[in-house]
């Protein structure tokens, strides 16, 4: 019986410590031993309508930086979330907003974050510009801590024009193994890659003199993401329409960040028994356990509003040949997993 009381007390402590966390944390018990076996995050991982989640690890914490999912005119700020174990999440409110970014008026989207020289750089899209004549595009902000507050680094967009047909949205900052930082971005079915300069205030030209190289794979729509595994470059993106049930994630593998990227296929799509509109994702790798997770947004079956999107997490596994196994969407989420012995 002592084990039973200990288990119940631990569950109580977890529930009390889960700030801003929905009550769908999954706790499983061994019926024979009455012992705690697995604690899972539940999906969504935190309350509220949030989309386009970028996940990253800083020191010993998981961080998620999403879009606040609402009408464009109400998308005027970013919140962030942190967790020591993927189960207990803390909300950091208004880490950046249009008060700090004078040129941004609406549609603040898809934040991407990177740390460099003890500074944190948050890249974001704003204003949903439809032509080169409109004010807006991709901006960059900076802070001394992941939770902000962030301030506008440039006082103007970093990219405010359409290059190679790519709308300046959905930015992702990629740190290559040679130390170079790249900005990979683009909507309207075009994707560019560009070399960031040392202080992230602009770009360096490639050897051929170009600044923006197009790396668009077949069926690409938006939401690019890249990571390296076993020396290979995994390039991932979203397909379909973000308001519809066909939103999904596909990927390719290449030997360099420039491709060529030949589409392998979809790994994440709607499940009529779970949710629709599953897409615009990111990937978190816990190096201490070698576990990979996919963070993404999806629309509950009860919702028809395009902005009713919630942030979820599920396990991402690989085949022996390095290809990615199809993602199994769940309501349970993933087991508790702390970050330990991080490599320097």
């Amino acid at each position: 019986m002592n084990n039973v009381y200990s288990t119940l007390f631990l569950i109580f402590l977890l529930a009390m410590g889960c700030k801003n966390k929905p009550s769908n944390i999954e706790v499983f018990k061994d019926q024979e031993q009455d012992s705690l076996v697995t604690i899972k995050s539940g999906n969504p991982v935190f309350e509220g309508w949030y989309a386009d989640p970028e996940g990253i690890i800083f020191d010993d914490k998981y961080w998620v930086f999403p879009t606040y999912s609402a009408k464009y005119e109400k998308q005027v700020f970013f919140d962030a979330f942190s967790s020591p174990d993927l189960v207990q999440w803390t909300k950091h409110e208004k880490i950046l907003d249009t008060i700090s970014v004078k040129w941004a008026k609406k549609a603040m989207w898809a934040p991407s974050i990177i740390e460099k020289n003890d500074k944190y750089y948050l890249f974001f899209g704003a204003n949903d510009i439809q032509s080169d004549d409109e004010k807006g595009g991709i901006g960059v902000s900076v802070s001394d801590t992941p939770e902000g507050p962030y301030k506008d680094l440039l006082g103007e967009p970093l990219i405010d024009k359409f290059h190679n047909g790519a709308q300046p949205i959905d930015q992702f900052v990629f740190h290559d193994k040679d130390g170079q930082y790249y900005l990979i971005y683009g909507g309207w079915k075009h994707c560019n890659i560009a070399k960031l300069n040392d202080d992230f205030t602009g770009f360096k030209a490639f050897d051929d003199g170009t600044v923006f190289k197009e790396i668009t794979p077949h069926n690409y729509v938006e939401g690019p993401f890249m990571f390296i595994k076993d020396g290979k470059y995994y390039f991932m993106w979203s397909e379909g329409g973000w308001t519809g049930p066909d939103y999904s994630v596909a990927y390719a593998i290449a030997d360099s960040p420039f491709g060529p990227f030949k589409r392998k296929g979809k790994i994440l799509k709607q499940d009529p028994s779970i949710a629709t509109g599953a897409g615009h994702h990111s990937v978190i790798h816990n190096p201490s356990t070698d576990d990979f997770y996919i963070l993404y947004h999806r629309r509950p079956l009860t919702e028809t509003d395009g902005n009713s999107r919630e942030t979820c997490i599920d396990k991402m596994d690989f085949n022996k040949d390095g290809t990615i196994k199809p993602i199994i969407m769940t309501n349970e989420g993933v087991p508790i997993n702390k970050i330990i012995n991080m490599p320097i």
Side-chain angles (χ1 to χ4, degrees), residues 76-91:
V76 293
F77 65 88
F78 291 117
D79 294 329
F81 299 82
S82 63
S83 172
D85 55 14
L86 296 176
V87 171
Q88 302 176 82
W89 290 92
T90 297
K91 182 178 181 180

Side-chain angles (χ1 to χ4, degrees), residues 6-20:
S6 297
T7 297
L8 291 174
F9 182 65
L10 178 56
I11 294 172
F12 171 77
L13 289 179
L14 283 168
M16 293 297 291
C18 292
K19 182 181 179 182
N20 296 307

Side-chain angles (χ1 to χ4, degrees), residues 100-168:
S100 303
V101 185
K102 302 303 182 184
W103 56 268
K105 304 300 181 185
K106 63 177 182 177
M108 295 185 77
W109 289 344
S112 181
I113 190 167
I114 202 78
E115 184 271 334
K116 184 181 182 184
N117 297 332
D118 296 323
K119 296 286 187 180
Y120 296 85
Y121 295 87
L122 189 73
F123 293 73
F124 59 94
N127 296 356
D128 185 33
I129 64 171
Q130 304 294 299
S131 74
D132 289 347
D133 298 326
E134 298 179 41
K135 185 70 171 180
I138 294 172
V140 57
S141 59
V142 63
S143 174
D144 292 326
T145 61
E147 65 269 28
Y150 287 81
K151 62 180 181 180
D152 191 3
L153 181 64
L154 302 176
E156 61 184 5
L158 177 67
I159 303 176
D160 61 356
K161 299 288 189 293
F162 284 66
H163 300 283
N164 302 320
Q167 185 188 25

Side-chain angles (χ1 to χ4, degrees), residues 25-217:
I25 294 175
E26 295 291 330
V27 179
F28 298 91
K29 291 175 61 180
D30 186 302
Q31 292 182 353
E32 294 183 359
Q33 299 181 6
D34 284 329
S35 61
L36 191 65
V37 177
T38 303
I39 301 173
K40 289 193 174 184
S41 63
N43 275 326
V45 292
F46 39 75
E47 292 180 330
W49 298 129
Y50 290 96
D52 316 328
E54 169 145 327
I56 195 168
I57 292 173
F58 291 130
D59 297 324
D60 59 352
K61 284 186 179 181
Y62 300 92
W63 287 82
V64 177
F65 296 82
T67 298
Y68 173 63
S69 191
K71 293 181 178 180
Y72 290 3
E73 291 74 18
K74 294 184 177 181
Q75 292 178 317
V76 293
F77 65 88
F78 291 117
D79 294 329
F81 299 82
S82 63
S83 172
D85 55 14
L86 296 176
V87 171
Q88 302 176 82
W89 290 92
T90 297
K91 182 178 181 180
H92 308 274
E93 296 185 358
K94 306 291 176 61
I95 63 169
L96 178 70
D97 57 31
T98 52
I99 297 173
S100 303
V101 185
K102 302 303 182 184
W103 56 268
K105 304 300 181 185
K106 63 177 182 177
M108 295 185 77
W109 289 344
S112 181
I113 190 167
I114 202 78
E115 184 271 334
K116 184 181 182 184
N117 297 332
D118 296 323
K119 296 286 187 180
Y120 296 85
Y121 295 87
L122 189 73
F123 293 73
F124 59 94
N127 296 356
D128 185 33
I129 64 171
Q130 304 294 299
S131 74
D132 289 347
D133 298 326
E134 298 179 41
K135 185 70 171 180
I138 294 172
V140 57
S141 59
V142 63
S143 174
D144 292 326
T145 61
E147 65 269 28
Y150 287 81
K151 62 180 181 180
D152 191 3
L153 181 64
L154 302 176
E156 61 184 5
L158 177 67
I159 303 176
D160 61 356
K161 299 288 189 293
F162 284 66
H163 300 283
N164 302 320
Q167 185 188 25
I169 62 168
D170 290 4
Q171 51 291 315
F172 171 66
V173 188
F174 175 66
H175 188 197
D176 203 356
K177 54 190 176 184
D178 65 358
Q180 177 63 52
Y181 292 84
Y182 294 95
L183 191 67
I184 303 171
Y185 76 94
W188 288 15
K189 301 183 179 181
H190 292 277
C191 185
N192 290 331
I193 185 170
K195 278 175 138 181
L196 284 159
N197 65 14
D198 293 340
D199 59 7
F200 297 161
T201 59
F203 299 96
K204 297 185 267 187
F206 292 101
D207 291 342
D208 63 1
T210 61
V211 175
F212 301 97
K213 284 187 177 294
E214 185 167 7
I215 56 171
T216 308

Side-chain angles (χ1 to χ4, degrees), residues 281-295:
H281 77 298
S282 61
V283 174
I284 293 180
H285 174 224
N286 182 344
S288 60
T289 61
D290 202 29
D291 287 311
F292 284 80
Y293 301 99
I294 186 167
L295 274 156

